[in-house]
Amino acid sequence: MPPTSPTPVNRDEAPPRAAVRAPLRESVRAPLRERGDACPGALRLHTADDGRLARLRLPAGLLTVRQAETLADAAERLGDGHLDLTSRGNVQLRGLGGSCGAELAGLLHEAGLLPSESHERVRNIVASPLAGLDELRSADVQLWARELDELLCASARAAALSGRFLFALDDGRGDVAGLGADVTLLACGDGSAVVRIGANGSGLRVTPEDAPRAALLAGETFLTVAEASGSGAWRVRELPAEYGRGLEAAVRAGLTDAGIGTEYVAEAAGPGAGSGPGPIPGPVPGFVPGPVPGLVPSPDGTTALSVHARLGRLTVAQWRLLAAVANGPLRVTPWRGVIVPGVAPAAAGATLDRLRTAGLITGPGSPWHGVGACTGRPGCAKALTDVRSDAAAAVSHGSGGLPVYWSGCARRCGHPQGRWVDVVATGEGRYDISVQGDAPDTTSNATATATATGPELADAVAAARTTPLTSSTR
């Protein structure tokens, strides 16, 4: 059964509380960063080559139909007529004019999309997109997301989190647990939840009622530890090693002080391992599953539609079509897709076909499925080429296999997690192509496969997507 009272720390299992009660000063080092977080938001607009950019955080990707229509109006009247979906299930508007900030803020406020101006950039919460919508019996992480968002917005301390700090709420299927979040809540089959910090395989089991508060306290504890380190770290993985090692113990101490009972849980197994009180669920190395495009039968007798946007971009017309066919809140996914709920089963097939005709990805056989790209030229000054045009030209040369992501420079903005084919522009029309990410059968993180340009480029990318990464290809 889930714990109901604080549990003493087992010193053989977890670091002692004293290890993090006093600041660790094992070494003196220069700060990792000496400036504040400039991550764009809905109020702090970023200046790009194609105009200003607004990034709107959508906790768990949720948008009512009215809110979706508000974003369509904003993109059409103030921006370039498109909506970009991000790898965190958020929405970006591009091509905004230099003086539209106040008008945009007013639209978002009126639609209920800015519950706290001081927290608008820290509402980074992803949740399993199909939770409650498919036939997998799972925890209602949407409830966790709503409560965590309310707690975040009510915490003055949490406003200091970086705009890149990420919370993930996984309903037990192991999807968003693989997205590299700083704090992950994992639903377990026995009704409990496990709080995982950063890339730790271990975690702290809590009751489901305590889970959102535990996630918030974990984020606030990170801030305390990051400040003590003097590193300027924005994310858990950026902490100096000695501080990172003590963070889980610091979180456990904070939860105990807050009256939240915990149980230390050892290294994770794989997805589905959370069905009992044993090891917590975790992602299969190198595999980050997302909702497959297509029809999703729902427990209430309706059908949800899972669709993806080509290269993560939707026109206003496509966006409005999605809102028009939905019978409930849309769910924007971290895989640059949208879940449309509540469609009558008799109409689902025809509706999905309408979306396909409109240019959306509606099935795994689409050559666009698994293909992503950054903004590239002309929108980004750092990009070396128009990667979207090159990616589109290569789509017809094969599909399937590993995801592929095209980047206009070595920063690789928005790249996926897990294993993917990394296509990076190097200038003069050339790209370096490699397989990135951990695979189950090797410890290699990157395997160079080709440098290509012109007619050879599409074939090289297609070959990389279907080439297995083994120890012989390191």
Side-chain angles (χ1 to χ4, degrees):
M1 295 295 293
T4 57
S5 60
T7 304
V9 175
N10 183 331
R11 294 179 182 273
D12 293 329
E13 295 179 330
R17 293 172 60 173
V20 291
R21 280 304 196 194
L24 296 171
R25 299 292 182 189
E26 295 179 11
S27 61
V28 177
R29 66 188 73 228
L32 178 69
R33 293 189 176 89
E34 297 180 347
R35 62 175 178 85
D37 177 18
C39 198
L43 301 178
R44 178 189 288 179
L45 306 186
H46 170 74
T47 301
D49 275 14
D50 58 350
R52 304 183 81 188
L53 175 154
R55 181 177 301 158
L56 179 63
R57 269 68 173 185
L58 303 176
L62 286 180
L63 270 174
T64 67
V65 171
R66 175 174 170 267
Q67 290 171 337
E69 291 171 346
T70 295
L71 292 184
D73 290 343
E76 187 172 56
R77 292 197 295 108
L78 306 177
D80 64 2
H82 293 81
L83 300 99
D84 290 352
L85 309 185
T86 78
S87 59
R88 293 183 166 194
N90 296 320
V91 171
Q92 289 185 167
L93 305 179
R94 299 189 68 98
L96 298 168
S99 60
C100 75
E103 184 178 357
L104 176 62
L107 290 172
L108 299 178
H109 271 297
E110 186 179 355
L113 289 167
L114 287 179
S116 171
E117 290 193 1
S118 58
H119 293 78
E120 63 98 359
R121 294 187 311 121
V122 305
R123 301 170 68 220
N124 288 308
I125 304 172
V126 296
S128 298
L130 291 178
L133 292 181
D134 63 2
E135 295 174 344
L136 177 67
R137 295 183 61 186
S138 58
D140 190 353
V141 293
Q142 298 294 328
L143 289 177
W144 283 355
R146 285 194 289 274
E147 184 176 349
L148 175 56
D149 186 36
E150 291 173 358
L151 291 169
L152 272 174
C153 291
S155 167
R157 178 66 168 150
L161 288 169
S162 161
R164 306 185 187 195
F165 194 90
L166 180 63
F167 296 89
L169 315 182
D170 194 297
D171 69 353
R173 72 185 69 214
D175 53 0
V176 298
L179 295 182
D182 299 280
V183 176
T184 302
L185 288 183
L186 296 153
C188 297
D190 65 349
S192 67
V194 170
V195 183
R196 194 171 70 190
I197 312 301
N200 286 357
S202 59
L204 303 171
R205 194 182 302 277
V206 299
T207 67
E209 295 78 14
D210 286 330
R213 189 159 62 106
L216 172 66
L217 287 170
E220 293 175 336
T221 302
F222 161 79
L223 286 172
T224 300
V225 173
E227 289 166 359
S229 75
S231 65
W234 292 342
R235 306 202 59 192
V236 167
R237 64 171 177 258
E238 296 172 354
L239 287 171
E242 63 270 25
Y243 288 86
R245 287 193 297 268
L247 180 56
E248 185 179 88
V251 170
R252 185 169 191 178
L255 296 182
T256 299
D257 289 347
I260 297 177
T262 64
E263 174 190 349
Y264 183 79
V265 185
E267 192 74 16
S275 58
I280 61 177
V284 174
F287 180 62
V288 184
V292 175
L295 303 176
V296 182
S298 297
D300 63 0
T302 65
T303 298
L305 309 181
S306 173
V307 298
H308 292 195
R310 293 184 180 183
L311 302 181
R313 283 209 113 187
L314 292 166
T315 66
V316 166
Q318 290 172 325
W319 183 261
R320 285 189 170 131
L321 179 57
L322 290 171
V325 302
N327 186 21
L330 299 171
R331 298 184 182 184
V332 180
T333 81
W335 292 270
R336 294 182 170 87
V338 180
I339 306 297
V340 182
V343 179
T351 303
L352 195 68
D353 193 57
R354 283 180 63 195
L355 298 176
R356 179 190 60 77
T357 302
L360 294 163
I361 302 168
T362 59
S366 167
W368 291 91
H369 184 225
V371 180
C374 72
T375 297
R377 286 184 178 175
C380 178
K382 292 183 171 60
L384 300 176
T385 189
D386 184 352
V387 291
R388 288 179 177 270
S389 293
D390 290 342
V395 162
S396 61
H397 284 246
S399 61
L402 291 175
V404 56
Y405 195 79
W406 297 68
S407 300
C409 71
R411 294 189 307 162
R412 298 174 171 86
C413 294
H415 70 74
Q417 298 292 320
R419 291 179 67 206
W420 83 96
V421 175
D422 186 38
V423 185
V424 181
T426 59
E428 298 181 355
R430 301 192 69 82
Y431 287 85
D432 284 343
I433 305 165
S434 62
V435 175
Q436 296 284 337
D438 291 328
D441 55 354
T442 179
T443 58
S444 176
N445 283 331
T447 298
T449 57
T451 298
T453 187
E456 302 172 355
L457 178 59
D459 290 337
V461 171
R465 296 186 72 184
T466 57
T467 301
L469 179 62
T470 64
S471 57
S472 63
T473 62
R474 280 190 238 170

